[in-house]
């Protein structure tokens, strides 16, 4: 029961049906505290803890990674949102 808990989440956040406000978030947490997060609107990682700031600095040096995560709004979020939303709309 005593131990550490580290995890990463990907989220797509939007409120309009045309997905114009869609944001991709990738968060890294340790013991339920978000250390560092990528936000596609900001376009880079932001650290929220002392360790997170260090990780953000290192992640932000990798331009290929940043480009891949910026593209996730289209490749991951919009693609899946269109599929899921059409399933909901078809049932209404």
């Amino acid at each position: 029961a005593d131990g550490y808990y580290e995890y990463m989440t990907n989220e797509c956040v939007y409120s309009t049906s045309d997905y114009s406000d869609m944001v991709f978030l990738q968060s890294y947490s340790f013991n339920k505290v978000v250390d560092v997060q990528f936000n596609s609107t900001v376009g880079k990682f932001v650290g929220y803890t002392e360790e997170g700031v260090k990780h953000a600095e290192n992640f932000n040096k990798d331009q290929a990674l940043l480009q891949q995560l910026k593209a996730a709004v289209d490749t991951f979020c919009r693609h899946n949102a269109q599929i899921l939303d059409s399933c909901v709309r078809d049932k209404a």
Side-chain angles (χ1 to χ4, degrees):
D2 290 334
Y4 300 106
Y5 187 60
E6 185 175 29
Y7 58 98
M8 186 264 295
T9 60
N10 291 320
E11 296 177 75
C12 301
V13 181
Y14 63 99
S15 61
T16 60
S17 60
D18 67 353
Y19 313 124
S20 60
D21 64 341
M22 187 168 280
V23 178
F24 173 73
L25 303 171
Q26 186 174 82
S27 304
Y28 293 84
S29 301
F30 181 75
N31 286 351
K32 299 182 182 179
V33 175
V34 176
D35 284 327
V36 62
Q37 183 179 67
F38 176 84
N39 180 319
S40 63
T41 303
V42 177
K44 65 179 184 176
F45 284 90
V46 176
Y48 296 105
T49 64
E50 187 176 335
E51 283 297 312
V53 170
K54 294 175 188 176
H55 290 304
E57 288 174 1
N58 287 328
F59 287 146
N60 289 331
K61 292 176 185 176
D62 187 343
Q63 292 301 312
L65 175 63
L66 294 178
Q67 290 302 319
Q68 179 182 1
L69 292 173
K70 288 177 192 175
V73 171
D74 293 317
T75 60
F76 178 73
C77 291
R78 282 193 180 93
H79 171 73
N80 288 309
Q82 289 169 343
I83 293 169
L84 295 171
D85 286 354
S86 69
C87 292
V88 172
R89 279 193 222 107
D90 291 346
K91 304 294 183 214

